[in-house]
Amino acid sequence: MVVEPDRPQRIARLTPLGDVLARIDALAKPVPPRASDLSGAVGWTLAEDVVANAPIPATARALRDGWAVRADVTTDAGTYAPAPLPSAVRVDVGQPLAGDADAVAPLDAVTIRNGVAQALAPVGPGDGVLAAGADAARGATLLAAGRPLERLQIEVLAAAGVTAVRVRTPRLRLVRARRSGDAFIDAAFACVADAIGSMGGVAVTAEPDGLASALADAAVDAVVVVGGTGSGRNDATVHTLASMGEVHVHGIALLPGETTALGTVGARPVLALPGRLDAALAAWHLLGHVMLARLAGSREAARLRTAKLTHKVSSTVGLSELVPVRCEGGFASPIASGYVPLSALAQANGWILIAPASEGYPAHTEVMIRPWP
């Protein structure tokens, strides 16, 4: 006699992707901001505008190596009729202009004869000069809140004299539904941990004492579970989540990733990813990215680009589908649909998203390429 396991996890319906994204918007709120030294804030998201407290630069400075002069006394200067310069001070790039100088003449536009500086060519007011406040006026916003801090922004702020910022750094507890040993779950775990770090979050990966312990961790802002979302004999993630909090969604109209679940324990969002590698990556890409961005208060738009399909791609109406592609130049080749094998995952360098109302795209369609993974 075949015995059915007690209370297997079942998916009653597949919730449309748009509805799940709306639920994430409602559940995931920005975490409290904290102060950070500028040098340690790479990758984190600004919680407050960074404003210039004084004009930058505070005084006019040289934009080139040369001679700081008054422009009006060089008006009639020429090679055969040099104009005497009452004052000419040698300056290097970045040095402030002294006195009444309002221009920086190139080095070869000034000569010294018998100890007297003479202009060999005219310069206009402001030539070779960075005016006071040219980089930023007092009160100007250097960077707006919600902007992830990349290396360029860090160095720009440092050049402007900023030493500390207010940031949001969500802490996400990342946990396997079962102890490590499943190569696919381990691979998904590692990919998601890397993605959390690259998006300005902190992945808390220390193995807790079971799934229930991870869900109860009040020291984190959200929980991401990998595995245990299906109806297998050992799948219990959704049951465990229901026993400790609330399951808002189990089953999403997303291919791959149908068994993904979303819930809460207290105020903490919980995203449960399938244990299948392709499905876990797809669900993280479309849902986890959004959840983390909301927790960080990020307003940065996704960085997409366009490419033309090399051949037709078909999709099931009613399901949102992420299709991995291989992009070369301005073209994208779909390399899998439905289940994405390891060989396709290894080749992919982008995704395309097919809307649930679409049956796919014909060859040569221009599509939006999402970054991988």
Side-chain angles (χ1 to χ4, degrees), residues 93-176:
V93 170
Q95 288 186 323
L97 272 61
D100 57 0
D102 61 358
V104 176
L107 289 173
D108 57 4
V110 174
T111 187
I112 305 297
R113 294 177 181 173
N114 299 321
V116 177
Q118 298 178 322
L120 302 177
V123 292
D127 284 0
V129 174
L130 181 66
D135 281 323
R138 181 193 298 271
T141 299
L142 299 175
L143 279 178
R147 180 79 179 268
L149 289 169
E150 299 180 0
R151 175 53 62 185
L152 174 61
Q153 285 76 45
I154 292 288
E155 298 308 329
V156 166
L157 292 180
V162 176
T163 59
V165 289
R166 299 277 289 175
V167 295
R168 300 186 199 275
T169 54
R171 290 171 54 84
L172 277 66
R173 163 66 73 177
L174 184 57
V175 59
R176 299 171 178 86

Side-chain angles (χ1 to χ4, degrees), residues 2-366:
V2 177
V3 178
E4 180 74 9
D6 293 337
R7 298 180 61 244
Q9 295 178 159
R10 300 295 190 196
I11 294 175
R13 62 183 290 266
L14 294 178
T15 303
L17 176 62
D19 293 351
V20 181
L21 290 171
R23 188 65 64 91
I24 289 175
D25 279 339
L27 295 175
K29 303 301 182 183
V31 303
R34 66 179 183 85
S36 171
D37 290 340
L38 181 64
S39 60
V42 177
W44 294 343
T45 301
L46 277 175
E48 298 174 357
D49 293 350
V50 180
V51 176
N53 295 321
I56 304 172
T59 60
R61 294 179 178 273
L63 270 179
R64 61 189 175 197
D65 301 328
W67 297 89
V69 299
R70 277 176 42 200
D72 61 342
V73 301
T74 71
T75 302
D76 298 321
T79 304
Y80 298 105
L85 296 171
S87 174
V89 178
R90 180 74 168 79
V91 291
D92 295 332
V93 170
Q95 288 186 323
L97 272 61
D100 57 0
D102 61 358
V104 176
L107 289 173
D108 57 4
V110 174
T111 187
I112 305 297
R113 294 177 181 173
N114 299 321
V116 177
Q118 298 178 322
L120 302 177
V123 292
D127 284 0
V129 174
L130 181 66
D135 281 323
R138 181 193 298 271
T141 299
L142 299 175
L143 279 178
R147 180 79 179 268
L149 289 169
E150 299 180 0
R151 175 53 62 185
L152 174 61
Q153 285 76 45
I154 292 288
E155 298 308 329
V156 166
L157 292 180
V162 176
T163 59
V165 289
R166 299 277 289 175
V167 295
R168 300 186 199 275
T169 54
R171 290 171 54 84
L172 277 66
R173 163 66 73 177
L174 184 57
V175 59
R176 299 171 178 86
R178 296 182 292 274
R179 293 291 184 182
S180 61
D182 183 311
F184 290 91
I185 288 179
D186 288 348
F189 185 95
C191 287
V192 172
D194 182 71
I196 291 171
S198 69
M199 289 184 62
V202 176
V204 181
T205 58
E207 290 286 358
D209 185 18
L211 177 57
S213 176
L215 294 174
D217 187 355
V220 298
D221 303 299
V223 179
V224 179
V225 186
V226 182
T229 60
S231 300
R233 288 172 294 176
N234 296 315
D235 289 338
T237 294
V238 178
H239 281 336
T240 304
L241 175 56
S243 70
M244 300 189 63
E246 183 177 356
V247 177
H248 297 278
V249 173
H250 181 208
I252 299 175
L254 171 64
L255 188 66
E258 302 98 316
T259 68
T260 302
L262 174 70
T264 49
V265 174
R268 295 185 300 282
V270 178
L271 179 62
L273 306 175
R276 215 175 77 189
L277 180 57
D278 63 327
L281 292 179
W284 171 259
H285 179 75
L286 281 178
L287 303 174
H289 276 207
V290 173
M291 183 177 75
L292 179 51
R294 298 296 178 270
L295 292 169
S298 175
R299 300 173 189 168
E300 192 81 346
R303 297 179 180 179
L304 309 180
R305 64 185 182 91
T306 59
K308 288 186 176 180
L309 291 175
T310 57
H311 56 273
K312 174 183 177 180
V313 59
S314 299
S315 183
T316 302
V317 173
L319 295 178
S320 299
E321 182 170 2
L322 270 181
V323 176
V325 295
R326 178 71 187 178
C327 296
E328 295 180 356
F331 295 92
S333 299
I335 53 179
S337 184
Y339 173 69
V340 184
L342 293 179
S343 57
L345 288 174
Q347 297 176 50
N349 57 7
W351 295 99
I352 61 172
L353 176 62
I354 302 177
S358 174
E359 295 181 351
Y361 303 120
H364 309 301
T365 300
E366 189 171 74

